[in-house]
Amino acid sequence: MNFKVPAVVVDTIQNSSNAAEAPVTSTSAKPPVLLATLEDGSPLPSWLKFDPDTRTFSSTKVPDDVKSVKIKLQAKKGQNIVGESILTIEAGGQ
């Protein structure tokens, strides 16, 4: 399984209304870092990997009992979360 987060989703997260509340610091010129957790904030399961540079979720073997996964995708700038979105990824389990 491979899923690349569409650029429009990333743009929406990075340009959410919270972005205006983030203080201006020396890190403000850098693009936000993308973080991925399960919807409840717990770590991704060991079988699911996220590459923030390519915005891609991948897995070589999805457990048979998993049909979908709810992911919280956050944009972090410095110490501030500047936006987030919940995504449901269809994993294709039985």
Side-chain angles (χ1 to χ4, degrees), residues 18 20-21 25 54 59 62 81 91:
N18 292 341
E21 298 170 12
T25 65
T54 63
S59 176
V62 177
I81 300 297

Side-chain angles (χ1 to χ4, degrees), residues 38-69:
L38 293 179
E39 181 181 27
D40 65 3
S42 60
L44 296 176
S46 60
W47 54 266
L48 183 60
K49 306 295 182 216
F50 177 64
D51 181 337
D53 295 327
T54 63
R55 306 182 327 260
T56 304
F57 289 91
S58 62
S59 176
T60 54
K61 176 71 172 125
V62 177
D64 290 338
D65 61 337
V66 176
K67 294 180 182 169
S68 64
V69 182

Side-chain angles (χ1 to χ4, degrees), residues 9-10 13 16 20-21 23 29 33-34 56 63 74 80-81 85 88 93-94:
V9 173
V10 175
I13 294 168
S16 72
E21 298 170 12
V33 174
L34 293 178
T56 304
Q74 296 179 309
N80 301 301
I81 300 297
S85 185
T88 300
Q94 304 292 321

Side-chain angles (χ1 to χ4, degrees), residues 70-89:
K70 288 196 175 202
I71 302 292
K72 182 188 300 184
L73 190 63
Q74 296 179 309
K76 184 175 182 181
K77 200 166 202 179
Q79 296 299 312
N80 301 301
I81 300 297
V82 296
E84 70 179 37
S85 185
I86 303 297
L87 309 172
T88 300
I89 298 175

